[in-house]
Amino acid sequence: MNSVGERLREARLARGLTQQQLARGVATKGFISQVECNRATPSLAKLRLLAERLGLPLGHFTGDHSPLELTYLRKSAELAVKAKEPAQALALVEEAGPLARTANERADLHRIRGMALDELGRLAESLVALQTAAADAPPDDPELNGAIYTEIATVLNEQEHFNFAVEAGRRGLYWLERVRHADPALRSRVLTNLGRSCWGLGQLEQSHQFSLQALEAATDAESLLRMANAHMSLGVTARAKGLLDEAIEHCNRALEIHARIHQERNANRVLNNIGDVHYAAGRTSAAWDAQLRCLTRARELSDDFEIGVAAGALARYALDAGKDAEALELARESQRAAERSQDHLHQALATAIEGAAADRLGHPMIADRRFKAAISMLVDREAAGKLSEVCAMYADVLRHRGEQDRAFAFMRVAAARDFSKLPALLRAGT
């Protein structure tokens, strides 16, 4: 038994794995079948990852028992991140570290380390690794610099530091524009990040324009995943702009693509925006049905982020329908899930909805505390869009109480987006 394919098949069978199980996140079942039949040859980076999965050294398949070349380790580590095996990626980066001789090599290893830590949810450590990569990367390698700042912007968005994320995203674009043949898929990712950052800051038109550019770049790259993400972003911004037919068109396109590439979680998340589009169009029954389907599936998938979003949307619908007790329970479920996923924007919005429901149920002091907590969360993140929304919601609560002056003051803050007066307004209610 001499061929790589024969050795791979024997090792797979010895560990009781199917071709599909071995291929997961690394290749396709068909590709593994071709390798085992000696009709295809895997790259060394991919073969190393398969060897690690089988618990064997790469030399078992290649006949070379010292394949420690840095290039293979780096590629294998990046493949491991993409295969959702970040711990394995970190181990490969550690193994590759002593072999790195140039600034480019060291910077790239720090970049991959940052990606793996991000995948593990260790965002602070990830950001440190990526900032180290940016400091090490020489200016004569614009492609590497562009890739590093793309990852920095991704982590900053996850941390909800939107102003810093915009700066990192623009630096990423700066470097990619200096690459002769820049990867359009990477450019699409940078632009999608910028769209998300601007959305978090309440900059609706800028967000929409970045998402349009992201779709164009994703189309050039022929990347279905990037195209779906861009369509989803455009569905959100089009809804916010009142372009409801356009929003539904983008959402349906995103849903179709995510279903085609078997991105079940992402496909489910599209339902949330479809529900909000229906709600904005006055189709409350269709909106409730879409959000409930989204929430039910999110619970089945243990997708805390989407539980937080969908439960919060349903809480808002219930509040508008006068179902205050139901709104309260849904808002609390939204807060718990959003806290687990560290989605502070939707956690704050659900906290405000709980406050509005509590006020209607005769608990004004609880309502005031919940609104103050929500506003504090959003001020810390400079989330102007959501902050305006919560201030307008609080103004409505105060108006129904008969506190007309404070209600008008909060509404003026929401309209002008001048939040400097918020501390005084909140103190006035204590």
Side-chain angles (χ1 to χ4, degrees):
M1 185 186 66
N2 296 316
S3 74
V4 171
E6 289 172 328
R7 294 179 183 183
L8 187 68
R9 182 175 185 275
E10 182 185 69
R12 175 179 63 79
L13 293 175
R15 281 152 186 78
L17 297 177
T18 65
Q19 290 177 340
Q20 183 70 46
Q21 290 169 328
L22 179 61
R24 181 176 55 82
V26 179
T28 64
K29 175 185 175 183
F31 180 75
I32 297 297
S33 176
Q34 287 187 317
V35 171
E36 291 184 353
C37 293
N38 299 315
R39 295 173 184 164
T41 303
S43 67
L44 283 175
K46 189 165 289 188
L47 184 58
R48 182 183 181 90
L49 199 57
L50 294 171
E52 294 284 353
R53 186 167 288 178
L54 291 165
L56 294 168
L58 181 59
H60 176 82
F61 301 99
T62 63
D64 178 4
H65 292 281
S66 58
L68 300 177
E69 289 86 347
L70 177 62
T71 300
Y72 303 147
L73 289 169
R74 284 162 55 194
K75 288 183 178 180
S76 296
E78 193 153 11
L79 274 171
V81 174
K82 293 177 181 177
K84 306 296 182 185
E85 297 181 0
Q88 178 62 30
L90 288 175
L92 289 166
V93 167
E94 288 299 315
E95 186 178 349
L99 303 176
R101 296 289 181 264
T102 68
N104 306 61
E105 292 168 348
R106 289 192 296 272
D108 202 32
L109 287 176
H110 283 302
R111 177 185 68 87
I112 297 168
R113 175 177 170 79
M115 293 167 61
L117 290 167
D118 179 21
E119 192 68 35
L120 288 166
R122 293 156 60 180
L123 300 185
E125 295 173 74
S126 172
L127 191 58
V128 169
L130 293 168
Q131 288 170 335
T132 303
D136 283 351
D140 63 355
D141 192 342
E143 188 168 19
L144 175 58
N145 278 282
I148 290 168
Y149 278 103
T150 300
E151 300 302 335
I152 290 175
T154 298
V155 174
L156 288 169
N157 268 335
E158 290 170 357
Q159 291 181 320
E160 298 168 348
H161 296 319
F162 299 117
N163 274 317
F164 294 122
V166 168
E167 181 182 349
R170 289 191 180 278
R171 287 192 184 187
L173 278 184
Y174 168 86
W175 286 111
L176 290 179
E177 285 166 359
R178 280 149 183 77
V179 179
R180 180 169 297 180
H181 300 293
D183 179 6
L186 183 59
R187 179 177 173 81
S188 175
R189 189 168 164 221
V190 173
L191 291 163
T192 298
N193 277 340
L194 280 165
R196 180 184 174 190
S197 304
C198 290
W199 173 261
L201 291 168
Q203 299 169 354
L204 178 58
E205 187 56 40
Q206 294 95 318
S207 177
H208 191 72
Q209 291 304 315
F210 279 129
S211 296
L212 283 171
Q213 294 175 54
L215 179 58
E216 183 179 352
T219 303
D220 288 343
E222 298 181 349
S223 170
L224 290 177
L225 177 60
R226 303 286 173 223
M227 289 167 64
N229 289 340
H231 276 297
M232 179 59 183
S233 297
L234 286 166
V236 172
T237 54
R239 170 178 56 79
K241 293 174 69 174
L243 305 173
L244 303 184
D245 290 340
E246 183 179 327
I248 283 290
E249 182 179 344
H250 282 299
C251 287
N252 285 337
R253 186 71 180 121
L255 195 62
E256 174 191 338
I257 296 173
H258 280 311
R260 188 192 310 175
I261 60 178
H262 308 295
Q263 294 282 330
E264 186 175 5
R265 286 196 176 203
N266 288 336
N268 188 50
R269 290 177 180 184
V270 178
L271 285 176
N272 166 256
N273 196 41
I274 289 176
D276 275 346
V277 174
H278 283 311
Y279 198 73
R283 298 187 288 265
T284 54
S285 179
W288 185 275
D289 178 65
Q291 295 289 7
L292 188 58
R293 285 165 53 205
C294 179
L295 177 59
T296 301
R297 189 62 182 135
R299 287 167 176 162
E300 293 170 353
L301 294 170
S302 299
D303 185 351
D304 283 329
F305 176 83
E306 197 54 37
I307 292 171
V309 175
L314 286 168
R316 177 163 46 89
Y317 300 170
L319 190 70
D320 289 347
K323 301 175 181 178
D324 302 328
E326 186 173 0
L328 192 72
E329 290 306 312
L330 284 164
R332 286 172 175 169
E333 179 181 8
S334 173
Q335 289 172 70
R336 291 190 296 269
E339 184 177 15
R340 289 194 298 270
S341 67
Q342 299 183 34
D343 176 13
H344 299 99
L345 299 192
H346 287 99
Q347 182 184 358
L349 191 57
T351 301
I353 294 170
E354 181 191 356
D359 192 79
R360 290 188 186 180
L361 292 167
H363 305 290
M365 293 180 65
I366 293 176
D368 288 338
R369 286 198 298 268
R370 302 316 287 153
F371 273 106
K372 287 176 184 177
I375 289 170
S376 176
M377 272 189 272
L378 296 171
V379 166
D380 288 346
R381 288 158 181 83
E382 300 179 342
K386 286 287 189 288
L387 195 50
S388 291
E389 188 176 345
V390 168
C391 285
M393 195 184 303
Y394 196 24
D396 191 52
V397 167
L398 293 170
R399 187 169 57 251
H400 279 90
R401 285 188 198 169
E403 299 181 35
Q404 301 299 336
D405 290 344
R406 288 188 71 216
F408 180 72
F410 272 99
M411 187 57 73
R412 188 163 51 191
V413 165
R417 295 196 174 188
D418 177 8
F419 305 114
S420 60
K421 298 178 181 178
L422 275 177
L425 283 174
L426 290 171
R427 283 196 301 272
T430 60

